[in-house]
Amino acid sequence: LEEDKPKDEL
Amino acid sequence: MNIFRLTGDLSHLAAIIILLLKIWKTRSCAGISGKSQVLFALVFTTRYLDLLTSFISLYNTTMKIIYIGCAYATVYLIYMKFKATYDGNHDTFRVEFLVVPVGGLAFLVNHDFSPLEILWTFSIYLESVAILPQLFMISKTGEAETITTHYLFFLGLYRALYLINWIWRFYFEGFFDMIAIVAGVVQTILYCDFFYLYVTKGESGSNKINPA
């Protein structure tokens, strides 16, 4: 499963 | 983080603070679309739920809390504290024509069919059109106070700077998010007409802009 990249933008 | 995203965030913060202070100091929300402010509160609420699930950085968390806090404070001032000055007769944009299609699109076009991701996608699409009730109200009243035009200028500038941020991140980090980019382009285009008036009327020093 693709690592769920956290959204770093506001 | 790059300079474009940082100035974009600060421009967004400036817009939010300018509006909140204007309403608070003048004790009036005349000329302000409460509907747009409710939509922005909804945008922040659905986008920043990850405050509860993941920690990115102190900056990220702090800004999200400030945005949400100011958004709800603004809605409170408009619909409760200074309700008497709310110009409901001119704030008549049918927001259901925005929320329903945006909600449907978020289900159809997203990166991942998970609740958090769909809510994030919904908030991205909604933000791109959330200013329409405000622009519509200004076109109906035929004028906007100077402070309101500064609010709109910084609000439009923030997403335009984000577009540059995305070009920067694509070039240097190979990162890009098509959903955010397309919605950001739409959002910025909606301000173009206003930007033109802001710059041309700003020079002539007239304190009111009269959108076509």
Side-chain angles (χ1 to χ4, degrees), chain B residues 121-139:
Chain B
T121 309
F122 170 77
S123 84
I124 290 289
Y125 293 150
L126 185 60
E127 188 190 4
S128 60
V129 293
I131 199 61
L132 283 176
Q134 179 66 67
L135 296 178
F136 179 75
M137 182 173 187
I138 288 176
S139 70

PDB file of all heavy atoms in Angstrom, chain B residues 121-139:
ATOM      1  N   THR B 121     -10.382  16.734  -0.667  1.00  0.00           N
ATOM      2  CA  THR B 121     -10.674  17.075  -2.066  1.00  0.00           C
ATOM      3  C   THR B 121     -11.863  18.028  -2.145  1.00  0.00           C
ATOM      4  O   THR B 121     -11.831  19.021  -2.874  1.00  0.00           O
ATOM      5  CB  THR B 121     -10.979  15.788  -2.864  1.00  0.00           C
ATOM      6  OG1 THR B 121      -9.934  14.841  -2.639  1.00  0.00           O
ATOM      7  CG2 THR B 121     -11.102  16.077  -4.346  1.00  0.00           C
ATOM      8  N   PHE B 122     -12.884  17.736  -1.334  1.00  0.00           N
ATOM      9  CA  PHE B 122     -14.056  18.627  -1.276  1.00  0.00           C
ATOM     10  C   PHE B 122     -13.613  20.039  -0.895  1.00  0.00           C
ATOM     11  O   PHE B 122     -14.031  21.035  -1.492  1.00  0.00           O
ATOM     12  CB  PHE B 122     -15.057  18.088  -0.252  1.00  0.00           C
ATOM     13  CG  PHE B 122     -16.182  19.017   0.080  1.00  0.00           C
ATOM     14  CD1 PHE B 122     -17.249  19.186  -0.801  1.00  0.00           C
ATOM     15  CD2 PHE B 122     -16.179  19.754   1.266  1.00  0.00           C
ATOM     16  CE1 PHE B 122     -18.294  20.068  -0.493  1.00  0.00           C
ATOM     17  CE2 PHE B 122     -17.216  20.625   1.574  1.00  0.00           C
ATOM     18  CZ  PHE B 122     -18.266  20.785   0.690  1.00  0.00           C
ATOM     19  N   SER B 123     -12.718  20.142   0.107  1.00  0.00           N
ATOM     20  CA  SER B 123     -12.297  21.468   0.579  1.00  0.00           C
ATOM     21  C   SER B 123     -11.485  22.195  -0.501  1.00  0.00           C
ATOM     22  O   SER B 123     -11.589  23.406  -0.652  1.00  0.00           O
ATOM     23  CB  SER B 123     -11.452  21.337   1.847  1.00  0.00           C
ATOM     24  OG  SER B 123     -10.108  21.077   1.538  1.00  0.00           O
ATOM     25  N   ILE B 124     -10.705  21.455  -1.271  1.00  0.00           N
ATOM     26  CA  ILE B 124      -9.914  22.077  -2.343  1.00  0.00           C
ATOM     27  C   ILE B 124     -10.834  22.629  -3.431  1.00  0.00           C
ATOM     28  O   ILE B 124     -10.722  23.776  -3.862  1.00  0.00           O
ATOM     29  CB  ILE B 124      -8.924  21.059  -2.958  1.00  0.00           C
ATOM     30  CG1 ILE B 124      -7.814  20.728  -1.961  1.00  0.00           C
ATOM     31  CG2 ILE B 124      -8.353  21.580  -4.278  1.00  0.00           C
ATOM     32  CD1 ILE B 124      -6.821  21.840  -1.715  1.00  0.00           C
ATOM     33  N   TYR B 125     -11.811  21.816  -3.842  1.00  0.00           N
ATOM     34  CA  TYR B 125     -12.746  22.278  -4.876  1.00  0.00           C
ATOM     35  C   TYR B 125     -13.593  23.439  -4.348  1.00  0.00           C
ATOM     36  O   TYR B 125     -13.811  24.428  -5.040  1.00  0.00           O
ATOM     37  CB  TYR B 125     -13.672  21.138  -5.303  1.00  0.00           C
ATOM     38  CG  TYR B 125     -13.010  19.987  -6.020  1.00  0.00           C
ATOM     39  CD1 TYR B 125     -13.522  18.694  -5.919  1.00  0.00           C
ATOM     40  CD2 TYR B 125     -11.865  20.176  -6.799  1.00  0.00           C
ATOM     41  CE1 TYR B 125     -12.925  17.628  -6.577  1.00  0.00           C
ATOM     42  CE2 TYR B 125     -11.261  19.121  -7.453  1.00  0.00           C
ATOM     43  CZ  TYR B 125     -11.799  17.838  -7.346  1.00  0.00           C
ATOM     44  OH  TYR B 125     -11.202  16.785  -8.000  1.00  0.00           O
ATOM     45  N   LEU B 126     -14.042  23.330  -3.088  1.00  0.00           N
ATOM     46  CA  LEU B 126     -14.914  24.368  -2.541  1.00  0.00           C
ATOM     47  C   LEU B 126     -14.175  25.690  -2.417  1.00  0.00           C
ATOM     48  O   LEU B 126     -14.720  26.751  -2.736  1.00  0.00           O
ATOM     49  CB  LEU B 126     -15.469  23.951  -1.173  1.00  0.00           C
ATOM     50  CG  LEU B 126     -16.495  24.908  -0.554  1.00  0.00           C
ATOM     51  CD1 LEU B 126     -17.712  25.066  -1.450  1.00  0.00           C
ATOM     52  CD2 LEU B 126     -16.906  24.436   0.837  1.00  0.00           C
ATOM     53  N   GLU B 127     -12.900  25.606  -1.996  1.00  0.00           N
ATOM     54  CA  GLU B 127     -12.155  26.858  -1.826  1.00  0.00           C
ATOM     55  C   GLU B 127     -12.033  27.623  -3.140  1.00  0.00           C
ATOM     56  O   GLU B 127     -12.039  28.841  -3.169  1.00  0.00           O
ATOM     57  CB  GLU B 127     -10.756  26.596  -1.269  1.00  0.00           C
ATOM     58  CG  GLU B 127     -10.069  27.907  -0.907  1.00  0.00           C
ATOM     59  CD  GLU B 127      -8.606  27.768  -0.574  1.00  0.00           C
ATOM     60  OE1 GLU B 127      -8.058  26.654  -0.696  1.00  0.00           O
ATOM     61  OE2 GLU B 127      -8.014  28.782  -0.198  1.00  0.00           O
ATOM     62  N   SER B 128     -11.993  26.883  -4.245  1.00  0.00           N
ATOM     63  CA  SER B 128     -11.776  27.577  -5.531  1.00  0.00           C
ATOM     64  C   SER B 128     -12.981  28.422  -5.916  1.00  0.00           C
ATOM     65  O   SER B 128     -12.849  29.383  -6.666  1.00  0.00           O
ATOM     66  CB  SER B 128     -11.464  26.565  -6.638  1.00  0.00           C
ATOM     67  OG  SER B 128     -12.543  25.672  -6.793  1.00  0.00           O
ATOM     68  N   VAL B 129     -14.159  28.089  -5.371  1.00  0.00           N
ATOM     69  CA  VAL B 129     -15.367  28.868  -5.729  1.00  0.00           C
ATOM     70  C   VAL B 129     -15.977  29.594  -4.531  1.00  0.00           C
ATOM     71  O   VAL B 129     -16.968  30.313  -4.680  1.00  0.00           O
ATOM     72  CB  VAL B 129     -16.442  27.958  -6.377  1.00  0.00           C
ATOM     73  CG1 VAL B 129     -15.978  27.435  -7.718  1.00  0.00           C
ATOM     74  CG2 VAL B 129     -16.819  26.807  -5.445  1.00  0.00           C
ATOM     75  N   ALA B 130     -15.371  29.470  -3.360  1.00  0.00           N
ATOM     76  CA  ALA B 130     -15.977  30.018  -2.132  1.00  0.00           C
ATOM     77  C   ALA B 130     -16.114  31.544  -2.168  1.00  0.00           C
ATOM     78  O   ALA B 130     -16.949  32.115  -1.479  1.00  0.00           O
ATOM     79  CB  ALA B 130     -15.149  29.607  -0.913  1.00  0.00           C
ATOM     80  N   ILE B 131     -15.297  32.212  -2.985  1.00  0.00           N
ATOM     81  CA  ILE B 131     -15.336  33.680  -3.006  1.00  0.00           C
ATOM     82  C   ILE B 131     -16.479  34.198  -3.900  1.00  0.00           C
ATOM     83  O   ILE B 131     -16.812  35.386  -3.860  1.00  0.00           O
ATOM     84  CB  ILE B 131     -13.968  34.242  -3.470  1.00  0.00           C
ATOM     85  CG1 ILE B 131     -13.826  35.710  -3.047  1.00  0.00           C
ATOM     86  CG2 ILE B 131     -13.797  34.066  -4.971  1.00  0.00           C
ATOM     87  CD1 ILE B 131     -13.886  35.963  -1.561  1.00  0.00           C
ATOM     88  N   LEU B 132     -17.094  33.322  -4.660  1.00  0.00           N
ATOM     89  CA  LEU B 132     -18.128  33.779  -5.617  1.00  0.00           C
ATOM     90  C   LEU B 132     -19.270  34.563  -4.950  1.00  0.00           C
ATOM     91  O   LEU B 132     -19.635  35.635  -5.447  1.00  0.00           O
ATOM     92  CB  LEU B 132     -18.664  32.587  -6.418  1.00  0.00           C
ATOM     93  CG  LEU B 132     -17.735  32.104  -7.542  1.00  0.00           C
ATOM     94  CD1 LEU B 132     -18.299  30.859  -8.223  1.00  0.00           C
ATOM     95  CD2 LEU B 132     -17.508  33.205  -8.572  1.00  0.00           C
ATOM     96  N   PRO B 133     -19.825  34.100  -3.826  1.00  0.00           N
ATOM     97  CA  PRO B 133     -20.878  34.922  -3.202  1.00  0.00           C
ATOM     98  C   PRO B 133     -20.390  36.342  -2.886  1.00  0.00           C
ATOM     99  O   PRO B 133     -21.139  37.312  -3.062  1.00  0.00           O
ATOM    100  CB  PRO B 133     -21.209  34.151  -1.923  1.00  0.00           C
ATOM    101  CG  PRO B 133     -20.885  32.734  -2.252  1.00  0.00           C
ATOM    102  CD  PRO B 133     -19.666  32.811  -3.128  1.00  0.00           C
ATOM    103  N   GLN B 134     -19.161  36.488  -2.491  1.00  0.00           N
ATOM    104  CA  GLN B 134     -18.625  37.817  -2.159  1.00  0.00           C
ATOM    105  C   GLN B 134     -18.486  38.668  -3.427  1.00  0.00           C
ATOM    106  O   GLN B 134     -18.925  39.825  -3.453  1.00  0.00           O
ATOM    107  CB  GLN B 134     -17.259  37.699  -1.484  1.00  0.00           C
ATOM    108  CG  GLN B 134     -16.620  39.032  -1.123  1.00  0.00           C
ATOM    109  CD  GLN B 134     -17.389  39.779  -0.052  1.00  0.00           C
ATOM    110  OE1 GLN B 134     -17.463  39.369   1.099  1.00  0.00           O
ATOM    111  NE2 GLN B 134     -18.007  40.894  -0.423  1.00  0.00           N
ATOM    112  N   LEU B 135     -17.953  38.086  -4.478  1.00  0.00           N
ATOM    113  CA  LEU B 135     -17.792  38.825  -5.738  1.00  0.00           C
ATOM    114  C   LEU B 135     -19.167  39.164  -6.314  1.00  0.00           C
ATOM    115  O   LEU B 135     -19.399  40.260  -6.831  1.00  0.00           O
ATOM    116  CB  LEU B 135     -16.965  38.007  -6.734  1.00  0.00           C
ATOM    117  CG  LEU B 135     -15.517  37.713  -6.323  1.00  0.00           C
ATOM    118  CD1 LEU B 135     -14.823  36.848  -7.369  1.00  0.00           C
ATOM    119  CD2 LEU B 135     -14.732  39.000  -6.094  1.00  0.00           C
ATOM    120  N   PHE B 136     -20.102  38.225  -6.145  1.00  0.00           N
ATOM    121  CA  PHE B 136     -21.472  38.451  -6.641  1.00  0.00           C
ATOM    122  C   PHE B 136     -22.118  39.614  -5.879  1.00  0.00           C
ATOM    123  O   PHE B 136     -22.751  40.503  -6.461  1.00  0.00           O
ATOM    124  CB  PHE B 136     -22.280  37.163  -6.439  1.00  0.00           C
ATOM    125  CG  PHE B 136     -23.711  37.241  -6.874  1.00  0.00           C
ATOM    126  CD1 PHE B 136     -24.059  37.212  -8.218  1.00  0.00           C
ATOM    127  CD2 PHE B 136     -24.741  37.356  -5.934  1.00  0.00           C
ATOM    128  CE1 PHE B 136     -25.386  37.276  -8.629  1.00  0.00           C
ATOM    129  CE2 PHE B 136     -26.070  37.425  -6.325  1.00  0.00           C
ATOM    130  CZ  PHE B 136     -26.391  37.397  -7.676  1.00  0.00           C
ATOM    131  N   MET B 137     -21.903  39.634  -4.570  1.00  0.00           N
ATOM    132  CA  MET B 137     -22.486  40.688  -3.727  1.00  0.00           C
ATOM    133  C   MET B 137     -21.920  42.053  -4.116  1.00  0.00           C
ATOM    134  O   MET B 137     -22.656  43.038  -4.237  1.00  0.00           O
ATOM    135  CB  MET B 137     -22.168  40.392  -2.256  1.00  0.00           C
ATOM    136  CG  MET B 137     -22.741  41.379  -1.273  1.00  0.00           C
ATOM    137  SD  MET B 137     -22.438  40.776   0.408  1.00  0.00           S
ATOM    138  CE  MET B 137     -23.374  41.953   1.346  1.00  0.00           C
ATOM    139  N   ILE B 138     -20.623  42.107  -4.380  1.00  0.00           N
ATOM    140  CA  ILE B 138     -20.006  43.371  -4.776  1.00  0.00           C
ATOM    141  C   ILE B 138     -20.576  43.832  -6.120  1.00  0.00           C
ATOM    142  O   ILE B 138     -20.872  45.011  -6.326  1.00  0.00           O
ATOM    143  CB  ILE B 138     -18.464  43.215  -4.854  1.00  0.00           C
ATOM    144  CG1 ILE B 138     -17.892  43.089  -3.449  1.00  0.00           C
ATOM    145  CG2 ILE B 138     -17.838  44.390  -5.601  1.00  0.00           C
ATOM    146  CD1 ILE B 138     -16.407  42.843  -3.413  1.00  0.00           C
ATOM    147  N   SER B 139     -20.805  42.864  -7.019  1.00  0.00           N
ATOM    148  CA  SER B 139     -21.350  43.258  -8.337  1.00  0.00           C
ATOM    149  C   SER B 139     -22.782  43.752  -8.172  1.00  0.00           C
ATOM    150  O   SER B 139     -23.244  44.621  -8.899  1.00  0.00           O
ATOM    151  CB  SER B 139     -21.299  42.072  -9.297  1.00  0.00           C
ATOM    152  OG  SER B 139     -22.244  41.089  -8.886  1.00  0.00           O
TER     153      SER B 139
END
